[in-house]
Amino acid sequence: MSKGSIFDFKLFSKLMKFVKLYKGTYYFVLLSAILLSGSSIISPYLLKTVIDDYISLGDFDGMVLIISLMFGALIFEVIFQFLFVYYANWLGQRVIRDLRVKLLDKILSFRMAFFDRTSVGRLVTRAVNDMETIASIFSQGLFMILADFLKMGIIIVVMLIVDWRLSLIVFSILPIIVYATRLFQSSMKKAFEDVRLQVANLNSFVQERINGIKIVQLFHTENHEFQNFKKINEQHKKAWLKTVWYNSIFFPIAELSSSVAIGLLVWFGGLNVIVEGIISLGTIFLFIQMSQMLFRPLRHIADKFNTLQMGMVAAERVFKLIDRDEKINDGGTISGEKIKGSISFKDVDFSYVSGEQVLYEINLDVKPGEKIAIVGSTGAGKSTIINLLSRFYENETGMITIDNISIKDFSIQFLRKHVGVILQDVFLFADTIYNNIVLFNTDVKKKDVYDAAKQIGVHEFISSLPGGYQYNVKERGVMLSSGQRQLIAFLRVYLSNPSILVLDEATSSIDSYSEELIQKAIKKITEEKTAIVIAHRLSTIKNSDRIVVMDKGRVVEVGRHDELVTIKGGYYSQLYQIQFLQEAV
């Protein structure tokens, strides 16, 4: 929302685009608001009639008729109040359902660089907390405010028609409440912006610490993190207390003003009844009720405006995310070609952060069906090559091709389908092993899954678990060892049958039993495929067709194992000797 504005109509028009699908409901809620506003004055006016025309004259038979009409008006108001509240909330939930789908669809398409610099907790806040706040625009904000304004307009007109002198008494108090309401709205807008910021900070901190609870406990930083949490929580509390402070000031002023208006009405009206007899007793009762009905919506408008503003602040955050241009350009049209598997990097440079280059003039050619390994110290740029090949990031200069076709000419979906990647840190969803293998693809047949598992030698391991393929691995696969998670990842990729296979540190940090199964799985899934293996353990890549050695973002050596170890003072030779000595110890 623009600074200094109470309501952002441009932002609201964006939100209204999601209402178009439910125009019928939207107009029905508007009609209900109008009818409720009109019907609200019926009962007070009938009460005036009862007092002036029936109670004062002792006509109790006529009074019964009027009371029956009041009862009918009450039933009408109750029915439309129910319909109004229900369908206003119904509309709000439909809108945020569609908006949440739009948001998640956008997030899923973002490039990896976006997630590198964006907290997961903030994204969760946008997709969950902010969405529910947006729903309140319709359920508690917009239509309620409209109904209140209509009600106030009708009340003012009726007041002026019935008695202009009593109307002036009520209107003399009105500017005080209007001015206080205006100040209240302006102050609450700023307060709620701070609240949303602190909620996002709190969510982000809590989620990060829970995800990293092992590190927190292993390094005994519980007290430090607890103290940090207390500081963030304190800021969260202060932000909310600021809204409480504004409410504590405004509502007593509104109540006091309303009481003063009633006192003046009773004093002036009562005096007139006694002295002049122009103003009737029923009129005084009517004005007391109408003054309450006039001032109450003002207080409600202030409250509902807070809800509306919180919703608009949340909508602004959500639309900023939706409007972000973080998607990798998927302009490729090639999607039906059969990939043979040749790969070429020509003069490729890359930086994750501007001015901090991590790859320099990478030139590398891989033949179809060739098995190459990439080795080097940590930070040499090995995993970056894989990130570029899968188009998680875009190379700045140079060209990357598959079968002599730029990877940018392939559709991203087709490219990633044919470039299978197995990472060191395997992510599993809190679901069954079977669903983690097929990734909820209902087109995959169970027989194909079982056959693939048998072919790469993991069927026996899965069958030994309680429930077999229906075993729930829990969040992030914590019920399995790292080696077992790797085996699931191998099966998942093998089932997708990619033309190019990439193993990024896929054999590190595993036990000897799992390593034996993994080596068998690697041999099977790399048959007749182009394979790139990134590894620290040089013993696992001795038999590669070629080994590419990287250092500080550059390719420094390329050759077979027996060739590279003979180079005196070479990078690979030094790496091999260091590992050989460590294993000997």
Side-chain angles (χ1 to χ4, degrees):
M1 296 174 69
S2 56
K3 292 182 179 179
S5 66
I6 293 296
F7 190 79
D8 191 330
F9 287 97
K10 185 176 179 181
L11 179 63
F12 184 70
S13 67
K14 282 186 177 182
L15 193 59
M16 288 301 292
K17 290 179 181 178
F18 289 85
V19 179
K20 287 183 178 180
L21 291 173
Y22 314 103
K23 287 190 293 185
T25 304
Y26 176 73
Y27 289 126
F28 176 77
V29 174
L30 282 178
L31 178 62
S32 299
I34 294 170
L35 291 174
L36 282 171
S37 301
S39 64
S40 63
I41 198 66
I42 295 175
S43 292
Y45 197 83
L46 288 175
L47 179 61
K48 170 190 177 301
T49 304
V50 168
I51 294 172
D52 288 343
D53 298 342
Y54 297 96
I55 293 178
S56 299
L57 302 177
D59 185 357
F60 296 106
D61 293 332
M63 182 177 68
V64 173
L65 175 62
I66 299 298
I67 291 175
S68 298
L69 290 175
M70 291 176 65
F71 182 74
L74 179 63
I75 295 297
F76 175 85
E77 194 169 350
V78 166
I79 291 172
F80 269 91
Q81 185 74 32
F82 163 74
L83 294 174
F84 174 75
V85 172
Y86 177 80
Y87 282 105
N89 280 275
W90 185 94
L91 180 63
Q93 289 302 317
R94 291 303 187 279
V95 168
I96 66 165
R97 179 196 63 184
D98 296 345
L99 188 58
R100 188 181 282 121
V101 168
K102 177 82 171 176
L103 176 63
L104 188 61
D105 181 58
K106 190 66 182 283
I107 290 175
L108 290 175
S109 70
F110 282 168
R111 66 188 80 202
M112 287 298 111
F114 170 81
F115 298 100
D116 292 342
R117 61 179 183 270
T118 306
S119 162
V120 174
R122 289 183 183 275
L123 295 179
V124 171
T125 300
R126 302 294 172 266
V128 181
N129 301 59
D130 284 345
M131 286 296 177
E132 291 302 326
T133 308
I134 292 172
S136 65
I137 290 177
F138 300 96
S139 62
Q140 302 174 43
L142 175 67
F143 296 117
M144 294 290 188
I145 291 173
L146 177 62
D148 284 342
F149 270 124
L150 287 172
K151 185 184 294 184
M152 289 170 60
I154 292 171
I155 289 169
I156 289 172
V157 171
V158 172
M159 278 184 170
L160 289 170
I161 292 173
V162 174
D163 193 288
W164 64 271
R165 291 169 299 178
L166 292 179
S167 299
L168 289 179
I169 291 175
V170 176
F171 297 162
S172 66
I173 303 297
L174 201 57
I176 299 173
I177 299 180
V178 171
Y179 181 69
T181 301
R182 175 72 180 180
L183 288 178
F184 180 64
Q185 292 168 352
S186 179
S187 300
M188 288 299 282
K189 173 183 174 291
K190 296 176 183 177
F192 280 132
E193 285 176 346
D194 191 28
V195 165
R196 299 313 304 166
L197 175 63
Q198 296 306 326
V199 167
N201 288 341
L202 192 63
N203 284 349
S204 178
F205 182 89
V206 171
Q207 180 157 345
E208 233 180 27
R209 269 55 187 184
I210 291 176
N211 285 338
I213 191 65
K214 285 185 179 179
I215 299 300
V216 171
Q217 293 184 355
L218 280 172
F219 289 90
H220 308 294
T221 61
E222 294 94 336
N223 186 58
H224 174 73
E225 297 299 343
F226 179 67
Q227 295 304 321
N228 286 338
F229 173 77
K230 285 175 67 176
K231 292 177 183 176
I232 295 173
N233 196 37
E234 179 67 18
Q235 293 301 317
H236 179 263
K237 181 204 73 175
K238 286 180 179 178
W240 273 109
L241 283 180
K242 191 178 291 184
T243 68
V244 173
W245 169 252
Y246 292 139
N247 277 290
S248 301
I249 294 175
F250 172 74
F251 285 103
I253 291 175
E255 286 293 335
L256 179 62
S257 301
S258 178
S259 298
V260 169
I262 292 173
L264 290 173
L265 285 172
V266 172
W267 172 75
F268 181 81
L271 189 63
N272 187 278
V273 169
I274 296 170
V275 178
E276 300 179 21
I278 299 175
I279 299 175
S280 68
L281 193 61
T283 300
I284 296 174
F285 272 94
L286 174 63
F287 267 81
I288 289 174
Q289 279 192 291
M290 287 197 300
S291 66
Q292 291 294 292
M293 292 171 65
L294 182 64
F295 294 149
R296 191 182 303 119
L298 269 176
R299 297 197 296 272
H300 287 174
I301 285 172
D303 193 32
K304 296 300 183 290
F305 216 103
N306 294 341
T307 301
L308 183 61
Q309 286 179 329
M310 284 190 71
M312 294 302 288
V313 169
E316 181 182 29
R317 294 173 182 273
V318 169
F319 279 113
K320 275 185 178 179
L321 205 53
I322 290 176
D323 294 338
R324 291 191 71 147
D325 183 19
E326 293 285 353
K327 187 176 181 179
I328 290 181
N329 182 27
D330 189 10
T333 57
I334 299 174
S335 59
E337 299 284 335
K338 175 66 177 177
I339 288 182
K340 296 178 182 177
S342 67
I343 304 169
S344 178
F345 284 72
K346 298 185 184 298
D347 300 321
V348 173
D349 293 340
F350 178 73
S351 304
Y352 287 105
V353 180
S354 180
E356 299 178 14
Q357 195 164 337
V358 295
L359 291 184
Y360 300 85
E361 297 181 1
I362 299 298
N363 287 281
L364 178 65
D365 293 304
V366 184
K367 299 174 183 177
E370 189 177 14
K371 312 295 186 292
I372 73 164
I374 303 179
V375 300
S377 58
T378 301
K382 306 183 297 296
S383 295
T384 302
I385 285 182
I386 306 311
N387 287 334
L388 295 179
L389 182 63
S390 301
R391 287 196 71 191
F392 287 131
Y393 299 86
E394 298 280 34
N395 52 296
E396 295 159 5
T397 61
M399 180 179 287
I400 304 172
T401 63
I402 293 177
D403 294 349
N404 297 317
I405 300 172
S406 171
I407 60 173
K408 295 180 180 180
D409 292 334
F410 294 103
S411 72
I412 290 180
Q413 184 178 2
F414 178 78
L415 174 69
R416 291 176 181 169
K417 179 181 178 182
H418 287 274
V419 179
V421 180
I422 301 175
L423 302 172
Q424 176 184 359
D425 184 17
V426 177
F427 184 91
L428 298 181
F429 295 97
D431 211 306
T432 63
I433 285 181
Y434 182 84
N435 284 336
N436 273 288
I437 294 169
V438 301
L439 292 177
F440 314 100
N441 185 353
T442 55
D443 294 332
V444 179
K445 298 178 181 178
K446 286 185 178 181
K447 184 179 182 303
D448 294 335
V449 175
Y450 299 155
D451 289 344
K454 290 173 183 176
Q455 288 173 24
I456 67 171
V458 300
H459 178 73
E460 185 178 343
F461 139 65
I462 297 174
S463 300
S464 67
L465 296 170
Y469 286 83
Q470 298 306 311
Y471 181 65
N472 194 309
V473 300
K474 304 300 180 183
E475 188 174 0
R476 300 182 66 88
V478 295
M479 301 304 291
L480 301 178
S481 69
S482 59
Q484 290 172 329
R485 290 196 295 271
Q486 286 287 0
L487 290 170
I488 300 301
F490 273 91
L491 179 54
R492 186 159 61 190
V493 170
Y494 180 65
L495 197 63
S496 67
N497 192 30
S499 303
I500 298 170
L501 188 66
V502 178
L503 285 76
D504 188 356
E505 304 287 1
T507 59
S508 63
S509 304
I510 56 175
D511 56 84
S512 57
Y513 173 72
S514 296
E515 181 175 5
E516 184 179 347
L517 289 177
I518 286 175
Q519 291 300 338
K520 290 180 180 178
I522 290 175
K523 185 176 180 181
K524 180 63 181 177
I525 68 176
T526 57
E527 286 180 358
E528 300 179 0
K529 297 183 187 298
T530 304
I532 301 175
V533 179
I534 296 175
H536 277 302
R537 299 167 67 181
L538 304 186
S539 59
T540 63
I541 47 93
K542 284 183 181 180
N543 297 322
S544 301
D545 296 328
R546 280 187 301 154
I547 298 173
V548 178
V549 186
M550 296 190 66
D551 183 61
K552 297 178 181 178
R554 301 179 188 274
V555 174
V556 292
E557 292 175 352
V558 179
R560 293 180 58 85
H561 169 75
D562 52 4
E563 296 171 346
L564 295 175
V565 292
T566 60
I567 301 175
K568 291 184 178 181
Y571 287 89
Y572 184 82
S573 176
Q574 292 179 25
L575 286 172
Y576 187 73
Q577 288 177 16
I578 292 170
Q579 284 200 14
F580 181 77
L581 289 173
Q582 288 176 342
E583 290 175 3
V585 174

